[in-house]
Amino acid sequence: MSEPAEYWFARRFPLGQMRSGMAPVHWKGWAVVAAFVAALAAGGLLWAWFAARGDNGRGVFAFALMSAGAALGFIRTANKKGDHVHCVADYRKGKLSV
């Protein structure tokens, strides 16, 4: 028998609504969010480093590359480790456990 799935993210809104955003419900989900923010900050610092040396074009490219990679990784993880049926309110009410 397979183990129950461990969800890191859940829907922000119930199934009846059209919006399908995901929010973290597990500490691993919050770690993914923190890694995403850290990657954006690192990209900004890299951009500033290149701009300080007079090469703003490379800085913009480096930031765009890092932010696109971080966004794709975040979206993929939220989709793969997300509960697409239950919402965050269900987890907060204690109906479901992580």
Side-chain angles (χ1 to χ4, degrees), residues 5-79:
E6 179 182 55
Y7 294 115
W8 299 358
F9 296 89
R11 292 176 58 92
R12 290 182 57 99
F13 305 101
L15 275 176
Q17 296 195 5
M18 295 301 292
R19 296 184 279 180
S20 63
M22 303 291 271
V25 293
H26 192 276
W27 70 267
K28 292 177 184 178
W30 285 106
V32 171
V33 171
F36 173 71
V37 171
L40 290 181
L45 289 173
L46 191 59
W47 183 356
W49 185 75
F50 275 117
R53 281 155 180 66
D55 198 2
N56 200 26
R58 281 190 184 176
V60 169
F61 180 74
F63 177 74
L65 193 63
M66 286 188 74
S67 62
L72 287 175
F74 178 80
I75 292 169
R76 182 175 187 267
T77 304
N79 191 29

